[in-house]
Amino acid sequence: MSPTRVLVLNSGSSSVKYQLLDMSDGSRLAVGLVERIGEETSRLKHTPQGGEAREWSGAVPDHEAALKAVAAELAKDGRGLDSPDLAAIGHRVVHGGKHFTEPTVIDDAVLAEIERLIPVAPLHNPANLTGIRTAQALRPDLPQVAVFDTAFHTTMPESAARYAIDVETADAHRIRRYGFHGTSHAYVSRATAKLLGKAPEDVNVIVLHLGNGASASAVRGGRCVDTSMGLTPLEGLVMGTRSGDMDPAVIFHLMRVGGMSADEIDTLLNNRSGLIGLCGDNDMREIRRRIDEGDERARLAFDIYIHRLKKYIGAYCAVLGRVDAVAFTAGVGENSAPVREAAVAGLEGLGLAVDGELNAVRGDEARLISPAGARVAVAVVPTDEEMEIATQTYALVGKDGMGSEGD
Ligand code: ADP
């Protein structure tokens, strides 16, 4: 029997999220998280399939220690990193630039390219690299695959991917719109086609990934043609703590008139803007609770969030020409009926509407919330980035005939 298990690692600057999946039946054998790596007290939570969650706190000084702790937890379930059932490790890598259009088996050249991209992803790529190097050290014989957040967006035409700035300057600094959340947009656009009973090639979908970070994409026949995030995940929609679109002159103004440094403005726009900057809360549940109590600041924050979202829906209707479905996903998109209702309110002229009763239904399955017979399907489609990374990793490893020892 060929090994069928894939360990998915999502290494952030101070955390490692992981899942062990069995690709023979799509089951999740373990799900876990190590948080606050490098701090005085780190925390690990590990939940094996069908079992109780195990949690502990202690010192986890670096990513190597974190991965060893993960390996130890998996070993307790009899599924350690040394298991012959493990086919590959799939790594989420945030920035793959223009170069990486597909999941890629990691070798020294791939590592060097991910490293070369650090200037455009200074927060994410270093952490991803550390995760990869640590996993390689623990299992040097095992194929390791990089699945890039940007890859799904590399099909964007130049007209959507380029900023209208001096071409030489842009190219010298690799400034263009790369887009992010690509794994989610890929998964959700395909799952939406499936919900409609059609092939991805036959449908045009607007995907609204609304989590703490948020992005929209226009997907024509399975290929991304536009997305709202740009050079970095700061562009586009109003997010939990990020501003999204803004006149770039605000930055010069804050420097010249406000006396702020580039780093201070970076922190302002990434961490103290969006919903939290507007009303002090970035959790949509809390914002809705405050609105119900008559809080005006929360109301305005919600209205600004919805106004931007609507503009992107309208823009992507225009980009696609024909829209078959609008899919809501991620924490807010999957759970907030008021956001979904407000986002399409008044867009009947574009064929968009939600049915109040269907919209109020809660659940984990992909489902339609538009009225029967609607011109454009509106859907809630839960995202599953880990499953997508595992699927892409396994497909690649299988295709290359790797990981098939023991046949
Ligand atoms: P990320 O992966 O970007 O951190 P998620 O996709 O997990 O984010 O989304 C997190 C956000 O989802 C929270 O900040 C909160 O605003 C929102 N959210 C989660 N559950 C609910 C809910 N039941 N109702 C409304 N919003 C929710």
Side-chain angles (χ1 to χ4, degrees):
M1 274 276 286
S2 303
T4 55
R5 293 179 186 166
V6 174
L7 178 65
V8 175
L9 290 179
N10 181 351
S11 308
S13 55
S14 65
S15 71
V16 174
K17 292 185 196 151
Y18 62 94
Q19 289 195 8
L20 179 67
L21 295 113
D22 193 328
M23 302 316 289
S24 64
D25 58 4
S27 59
R28 247 169 269 259
L29 302 173
V31 175
L33 164 75
V34 189
E35 285 178 300
R36 297 191 220 126
I37 297 169
E39 291 180 30
E40 216 161 280
T41 338
S42 319
R43 204 176 73 93
L44 181 145
K45 183 172 181 186
H46 175 95
T47 311
Q49 186 183 34
E52 289 284 304
R54 303 195 289 271
E55 288 188 50
W56 60 262
S57 301
V60 180
D62 52 30
H63 282 71
E64 189 181 339
L67 212 52
K68 282 187 175 154
V70 172
E73 290 303 322
L74 290 167
K76 284 184 200 161
D77 306 331
R79 295 170 182 144
L81 275 191
D82 54 355
S83 161
D85 295 324
L86 198 57
I89 300 181
H91 297 267
R92 174 188 184 214
V93 180
V94 168
H95 216 310
K98 270 172 80 173
H99 185 78
F100 293 114
T101 58
E102 290 187 339
T104 306
V105 176
I106 299 167
D107 58 17
D108 287 347
V110 171
L111 280 175
E113 183 61 24
I114 297 172
E115 194 154 10
R116 211 172 69 86
L117 288 161
I118 287 177
V120 284
L123 295 179
H124 294 106
N125 276 26
N128 300 157
L129 274 170
T130 308
I132 294 169
R133 291 202 171 106
T134 310
Q136 281 180 325
L138 289 176
R139 273 300 300 268
D141 57 313
L142 203 63
Q144 314 252 347
V145 174
V147 178
F148 299 94
D149 262 21
T150 46
F152 184 61
H153 304 304
T154 55
T155 51
M156 277 197 288
E158 284 295 284
S159 53
R162 275 204 179 266
Y163 291 107
I165 64 172
D166 173 71
V167 172
E168 278 75 34
T169 307
D171 288 351
H173 298 286
R174 279 176 288 166
I175 294 172
R176 61 189 278 116
R177 308 190 56 253
Y178 294 101
F180 297 88
H181 290 145
T183 311
S184 176
H185 288 282
Y187 177 87
V188 171
S189 56
R190 271 209 323 275
T192 306
K194 194 171 164 204
L195 180 68
L196 300 183
K198 295 193 172 160
E201 301 78 57
D202 296 332
V203 292
N204 293 350
V205 186
I206 297 174
V207 178
L208 303 170
H209 176 111
L210 311 177
N212 200 22
S215 63
S217 69
V219 183
R220 176 181 289 133
R223 290 164 68 86
C224 178
V225 293
D226 204 354
T227 194
S228 61
M229 285 178 166
L231 173 75
T232 75
L234 184 55
E235 191 179 341
L237 299 172
V238 176
M239 310 182 210
T241 65
R242 292 177 221 151
S243 63
D245 294 338
M246 209 187 54
D247 182 345
V250 170
I251 296 165
F252 320 139
H253 188 83
L254 287 172
M255 284 180 142
R256 292 178 189 136
V257 181
M260 290 175 76
S261 68
D263 284 346
E264 284 169 341
I265 299 171
D266 193 327
T267 305
L268 171 77
L269 299 182
N270 274 297
N271 303 338
R272 293 196 285 121
S273 297
L275 293 170
I276 208 160
L278 289 166
C279 75
D281 271 309
N282 62 333
D283 191 312
M284 194 50 82
R285 286 164 287 201
E286 187 58 17
I287 291 171
R288 290 303 311 176
R289 195 190 59 72
R290 285 173 54 187
I291 291 172
D292 289 343
E293 288 177 351
D295 186 316
E296 286 302 322
R297 268 183 77 192
R299 175 86 248 170
L300 180 60
F302 184 82
D303 289 348
I304 295 169
Y305 180 95
I306 294 297
H307 179 73
R308 184 84 51 83
L309 191 52
K310 244 183 203 173
K311 287 213 295 193
Y312 269 94
I313 295 172
Y316 288 172
C317 284
V319 166
L320 290 170
R322 188 202 84 219
V323 180
D324 299 298
V326 174
F328 287 89
T329 195
V332 176
E334 291 168 30
N335 295 300
S336 180
V339 165
R340 297 191 296 257
E341 185 187 334
V344 302
L347 300 186
E348 294 81 8
L350 297 173
L352 289 166
V354 298
D355 175 287
E357 269 178 37
L358 293 176
N359 191 32
V361 175
R362 301 188 61 84
D364 299 334
E365 301 289 317
R367 58 197 183 274
L368 289 174
I369 57 170
S370 41
R375 183 149 54 89
V376 179
V378 181
V380 179
V381 181
T383 192
D384 194 341
E385 287 162 282
E386 288 77 16
M387 178 60 78
E388 180 68 18
I389 291 172
T391 304
Q392 293 193 12
T393 298
Y394 191 61
L396 188 63
V397 167
K399 191 172 72 194
D400 286 1
M402 298 164 97
S404 58
E405 291 156 10
D407 261 351

